[in-house]
Amino acid sequence: RVLPVVATDEIDSYKEHDPRQFIVACEKYGVPQQRHRVILVGIREDLGDVELPPLVAKAAPTVNSVIHLLPRLRSGLSRTRKGDKYVRLVDDADSWLKSIQDQIGLKDSMNSPRWLVNLDDEIRERIVGSISGNKQPPQSRGSSFIRKSKTLNESHPLYDHFIDERLPGVCNHETRSHLDRDLVRYLFAAAYSKHHGISPRLHQFPSALLPNHKNATSGNFNDRFRVQLGDQPSTTITSHISKDGHYFIHPDPTQCRSLTVREAARLQTLRIVI
């Protein structure tokens, strides 16, 4: 026999062996991620009429509740485009902050880019405010291990799952390097999300921030830059996140980066076993 793992009252309207009765929407069962997967359990016929206790529905933790106490980090600064070539940039905290500030004209408001001037006042203020008072993250780009005593509230429903008192910190909390223009795209996207409560589609980006490729205005990749909203569970975190950083932008505008491996693992509810 093949049995579903979701509660029967959720599937009474389905016919027997309807594939939909085997779909588990993880965010309905206490997982901070909108991941939908087919899960079924096979029971040997010789075991008789075995009853399978269903999964217990639980509210999904939000992205912020899972990752906001992890150390603040800056993204890496990799290259800039000059003409048809890419030029490597110096990657340090001062260069990172200066690159973002220069691109939004923070030190010279008379030369602020037109795309920033034309934004709604609230979003423009969020962008400028996120960077004008931004202090260098104390852990810079992070590390394979960062010593930190509190990275999750003890009242959090996943505290016992994530936290091992024998490990006095967090592992694999390191940021990736990004193009200088991507930092400002991430900054805009996160500020937009803070204001509107949704991640912007490409057609909602200022034209000056659109990536330099032919698909940018085709409508085929309208969600190319996706912010993980802080007050909701995340979208599905893929195993190839290193290649799809644009889809996993951190909700905090001051960090201008994609998620780290540790943040992604928490949203997937993976844990470290000692």
Side-chain angles (χ1 to χ4, degrees):
R1 291 185 303 130
V2 177
L3 300 177
V5 297
V6 296
T8 55
D9 59 355
E10 296 184 30
I11 61 175
D12 283 345
S13 60
Y14 300 153
K15 297 179 180 179
E16 187 176 4
H17 300 311
D18 187 323
R20 291 174 296 172
Q21 68 182 314
F22 299 104
I23 297 175
V24 177
C26 294
E27 70 274 16
K28 294 182 179 180
Y29 300 98
V31 176
Q33 178 187 201
Q34 300 173 54
R35 194 180 193 107
H36 298 177
R37 291 295 182 265
V38 173
I39 299 177
L40 49 87
V41 176
I43 305 295
R44 292 197 336 244
E45 291 183 355
D46 62 295
L47 294 180
D49 193 18
V50 176
E51 293 295 328
L52 184 68
L55 293 174
V56 178
K58 297 179 181 178
T62 65
V63 168
N64 277 342
S65 76
V66 171
I67 70 173
H68 84 287
L69 288 181
L70 290 170
R72 285 183 62 249
L73 306 176
R74 69 171 179 87
S75 50
L77 186 60
S78 60
R79 300 176 298 170
T80 187
R81 189 183 181 98
K82 291 188 176 180
D84 59 351
K85 296 182 178 180
Y86 285 102
V87 177
R88 185 161 295 281
L89 297 169
V90 173
D91 177 34
D92 58 40
D94 291 335
S95 299
W96 173 81
L97 186 57
K98 184 177 185 301
S99 173
I100 301 172
Q101 291 178 338
D102 287 349
Q103 290 184 75
I104 65 173
L106 187 61
K107 298 298 184 181
D108 184 3
S109 59
M110 295 299 293
N111 289 321
S112 294
R114 185 176 297 276
W115 67 264
L116 182 65
V117 174
N118 291 338
L119 289 178
D120 292 342
D121 291 344
E122 294 86 352
I123 298 178
R124 183 173 62 253
E125 289 172 3
R126 284 182 182 274
I127 289 174
V128 173
S130 295
I131 295 303
S132 61
N134 193 22
K135 297 180 180 179
Q136 301 301 335
Q139 297 294 340
S140 190
R141 292 187 58 188
S143 175
S144 58
F145 179 78
I146 301 176
R147 185 173 293 274
K148 192 174 191 298
S149 59
K150 186 177 182 181
T151 63
L152 194 70
N153 285 323
E154 293 184 9
S155 60
H156 196 282
L158 292 174
Y159 182 86
D160 291 335
H161 181 77
F162 285 137
I163 303 302
D164 189 325
E165 300 296 344
R166 297 171 297 172
L167 187 66
V170 292
C171 299
N172 310 119
H173 189 44
E174 301 173 85
T175 62
R176 296 178 57 212
S177 294
H178 301 295
L179 297 175
D180 58 346
R181 290 296 284 168
D182 282 342
L183 303 185
V184 179
R185 293 178 181 121
Y186 291 178
L187 172 59
F188 165 78
Y192 184 100
S193 299
K194 284 276 189 181
H195 179 65
H196 289 290
I198 59 172
S199 183
R201 300 297 186 108
L202 272 185
H203 72 270
Q204 293 164 322
F205 275 68
S207 58
L209 293 185
L210 291 177
N212 186 26
H213 60 73
K214 61 182 180 181
N215 287 322
T217 57
S218 68
N220 294 330
F221 298 93
N222 211 15
D223 61 348
R224 179 176 176 81
F225 293 89
R226 182 188 296 156
V227 180
Q228 298 303 313
L229 303 177
D231 61 353
Q232 299 180 23
S234 74
T235 58
T236 301
I237 305 294
T238 62
S239 60
H240 46 86
I241 185 174
S242 63
K243 297 180 180 179
D244 292 332
H246 294 337
Y247 288 95
F248 305 102
I249 300 172
H250 196 286
D252 178 6
T254 71
Q255 300 186 52
C256 301
R257 63 176 177 85
S258 57
L259 299 178
T260 66
V261 168
R262 179 52 42 215
E263 289 165 337
R266 280 202 174 181
L267 295 172
Q268 290 178 317
T269 59
L270 299 178
R271 60 179 298 184
I272 294 176
V273 179
I274 300 178

